[in-house]
Amino acid sequence: VQLQASGGGLVQPGESLRLSCAASGFTPDYYTIGWFRQAPGKEREGVSAFSDSGRTTYYADSVKGRFTISRDNAKKTVYLQMNSLKPEDTAVYFCARHRLYTNYAPLSRDSYDYWGQGTLVTVSS
């Protein structure tokens, strides 16, 4: 099982980035895939998730209306479109796979078993 996050970079406030999470070694259609972020000195927090059913998306309050999660099962990839970026969005972003047969908590890091390596997003003028 592998998850490869990419797409991070340095942008100015108000700009956009799209992160990608490429899955391999499993069929992502059957799993909820989530995006998390960790800023320096802070705990890892849930940002967004896309349910295995493909019908439900979840967002942290801090990103609602600005971030959009989507998935392309044919490409085994989950995307996070980030618009109107703010300096407080600066963090390392991780994608992860939700555990099966466990309490369903799509924005809780404890609910995820496999993690990608992270991609750095820096929002600064």
Side-chain angles (χ1 to χ4, degrees):
V1 174
Q2 285 192 330
L3 294 155
Q4 182 80 27
S6 62
L10 172 63
V11 296
Q12 294 188 347
E15 294 186 338
S16 300
L17 275 177
R18 189 177 79 158
L19 305 184
S20 299
C21 174
S24 60
F26 70 102
T27 303
D29 316 30
Y30 303 148
Y31 294 84
T32 289
I33 304 295
W35 283 99
F36 291 75
R37 67 186 181 187
Q38 188 165 17
K42 294 188 177 182
E43 293 190 351
R44 193 170 298 187
E45 63 174 355
V47 174
S48 182
F50 202 117
S51 71
D52 54 334
S53 69
R55 291 192 292 269
T56 308
T57 56
Y58 305 87
Y59 296 96
D61 289 342
S62 58
V63 307
K64 280 181 182 175
R66 300 188 299 121
F67 290 11
T68 303
I69 192 170
S70 61
R71 64 193 295 166
D72 184 334
N73 287 336
K75 294 183 178 180
K76 295 189 174 183
T77 302
V78 176
Y79 303 97
L80 186 67
Q81 178 67 41
M82 306 186 297
N83 298 331
S84 302
L85 282 162
K86 304 176 181 180
E88 51 263 43
D89 294 318
T90 295
V92 178
Y93 284 72
F94 301 86
C95 58
R97 189 187 80 171
H98 197 286
R99 302 176 193 274
L100 288 178
Y101 314 122
T102 187
N103 292 334
Y104 192 67
L107 294 182
S108 170
R109 62 184 182 183
D110 293 337
S111 298
Y112 289 77
D113 53 4
Y114 286 94
W115 294 80
Q117 85 291 356
T119 185
L120 177 62
V121 173
T122 303
V123 185
S124 176
S125 55

